């Protein structure tokens, strides 16, 4: 696994000035920067280079950011941060529901953008390695099994394709099966940031995970909502492996 110090970021925007400005900002942080100016170029760059994080605009020619993100998610689970002029909650929820790990609105604060890139990279490149030593190599709960060495969730023996953020949520909840956590608590533990109006963000990720692990997401066996309080993984047969 690559380290934070030599991480690489793909910056995608049809505005060359924005790409160059972000590139200079992130190069000062020590990151290797690749550039693309539409969704097709982003996919090509991802196939040709070792990319650890993608920062992508939504409105672009040839292939827009959301379409590119859906394609990328079939190949990679690296962090994707959407950078968009669309600031409505519905736009943010759409971006998150289509596979984004984070969403930043334009005009962006350079310090915040750099901090979010670093936060997402740190989370992806470590993926809870420090915590996993407490519990051995895996945790089993019912038909779910999370392997800390592989950084992989399995359902009934089959691998579940999760984004980096979805993996961290499941890792946290699986380690604390049976306990209920508010959206704010989940956000602070998974994103490693103070929470502020994060219910929609967490809710979208929870819904996405449910669609991947539940036979009927509306009647979940594993990932439950405790109304008015938060979320939990139901404690079933199985334990620490």
């Amino acid at each position: 696994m690559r380290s934070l110090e030599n991480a690489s970021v793909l910056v995608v925007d049809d505005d060359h000035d924005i790409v160059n400005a972000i590139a200079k900002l992130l190069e000062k942080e020590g990151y290797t920067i690749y550039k693309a100016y539409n969704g097709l170029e982003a996919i090509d760059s991802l196939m040709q280079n070792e990319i650890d994080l993608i920062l992508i605009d939504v409105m672009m020619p040839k292939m827009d950011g959301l379409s590119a993100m859906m394609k990328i998610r079939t190949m990679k689970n690296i962090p994707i941060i959407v950078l968009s002029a669309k600031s409505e909650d519905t736009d943010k929820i759409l971006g998150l529901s289509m596979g984004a790990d984070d969403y930043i609105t334009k005009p962006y604060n350079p310090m915040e953008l750099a901090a979010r890139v670093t936060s997402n990279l740190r989370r992806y490149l470590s993926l809870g390695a420090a915590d996993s030593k407490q519990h051995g190599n895996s945790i089993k709960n019912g038909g779910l099994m999370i392997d800390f060495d592989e950084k992989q969730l399995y359902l009934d023996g089959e691998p579940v394709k999760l984004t980096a953020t979805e993996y961290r949520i499941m890792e946290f909840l699986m380690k604390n099966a049976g306990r209920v956590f508010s959206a704010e608590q989940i956000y602070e533990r998974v994103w490693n940031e103070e929470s502020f109006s994060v219910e929609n963000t967490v809710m979208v990720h929870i819904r996405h995970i449910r669609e991947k692990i539940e036979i009927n997401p509306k009647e979940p066996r594993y990932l439950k909502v405790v109304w008015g309080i938060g979320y939990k993984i139901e404690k079933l047969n199985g334990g620490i492996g």
Side-chain angles (χ1 to χ4, degrees):
M1 181 66 74
R2 292 152 66 82
S3 67
L4 187 63
E5 288 72 25
N6 61 12
S8 59
V9 177
L10 173 60
V11 183
V12 191
D13 197 304
D14 60 331
D15 188 322
H16 288 231
D17 290 337
I18 290 177
V19 171
N20 290 333
I22 293 175
K24 289 180 181 178
L25 173 68
L26 296 181
E27 283 170 348
K28 289 180 181 178
E29 300 293 321
Y31 302 131
T32 300
I33 304 300
Y34 296 95
K35 302 176 183 180
Y37 303 102
N38 60 61
L40 291 176
E41 289 183 7
I43 293 170
D44 286 343
S45 181
L46 187 65
M47 298 295 289
Q48 296 172 20
N49 304 290
E50 188 169 3
I51 306 294
D52 298 307
L53 179 144
I54 300 174
L55 191 62
I56 191 166
D57 185 28
V58 173
M59 303 301 293
M60 295 183 294
K62 296 185 180 179
M63 180 184 283
D64 65 82
L66 296 182
S67 298
M69 187 164 59
M70 291 178 65
K71 178 67 174 176
I72 290 166
R73 278 288 172 246
T74 67
M75 304 182 291
K76 302 281 187 178
N77 71 342
I78 60 175
I80 300 176
I81 302 177
V82 170
L83 182 64
S84 175
K86 295 184 175 182
S87 60
E88 297 295 324
D89 282 346
T90 52
D91 297 313
K92 294 179 182 179
I93 291 171
L94 177 62
L96 293 168
S97 68
M98 294 180 72
D101 293 282
D102 208 345
Y103 195 106
I104 301 175
T105 56
K106 298 176 182 177
Y108 60 88
N109 179 306
M111 292 181 63
E112 179 187 1
L113 187 148
R116 285 180 180 268
V117 167
T118 298
S119 175
N120 276 275
L121 278 170
R122 183 179 293 116
R123 189 162 61 245
Y124 171 66
L125 294 172
S126 62
L127 282 177
D131 288 340
S132 67
K133 295 177 183 176
Q134 302 172 18
H135 298 286
N137 294 328
S138 64
I139 291 176
K140 185 168 174 32
N141 186 39
L144 290 176
M145 194 273 284
I146 192 164
D147 188 305
F148 298 113
D149 292 334
E150 297 180 4
K151 307 295 185 286
Q152 177 66 58
L153 179 73
Y154 292 88
L155 174 63
D156 298 329
E158 295 296 323
V160 180
K161 195 171 183 64
L162 299 176
T163 68
T165 300
E166 290 166 359
Y167 173 86
R168 284 285 289 168
I169 291 171
M170 284 301 294
E171 181 188 64
F172 173 59
L173 293 178
M174 286 278 285
K175 286 179 180 178
N176 297 279
R179 293 180 57 189
V180 181
F181 295 93
S182 68
E184 289 76 15
Q185 289 173 316
I186 293 171
Y187 188 90
E188 289 175 357
R189 288 297 297 271
V190 172
W191 276 259
N192 294 316
E193 298 174 355
E194 290 187 12
S195 60
F196 179 74
S197 299
V198 298
E199 177 64 37
N200 283 341
T201 298
V202 174
M203 177 187 68
V204 168
H205 286 293
I206 293 290
R207 188 174 70 220
H208 238 202
I209 295 170
R210 271 183 170 172
E211 290 170 353
K212 298 178 180 181
I213 68 172
E214 303 287 359
I215 295 174
N216 181 0
K218 293 183 179 179
E219 295 182 10
R221 179 187 181 198
Y222 297 107
L223 189 44
K224 302 286 187 72
V225 174
V226 181
W227 294 108
I229 302 177
Y231 306 92
K232 70 172 182 175
I233 287 288
E234 192 71 60
K235 195 166 188 177
L236 303 169
N237 291 333
I240 297 170

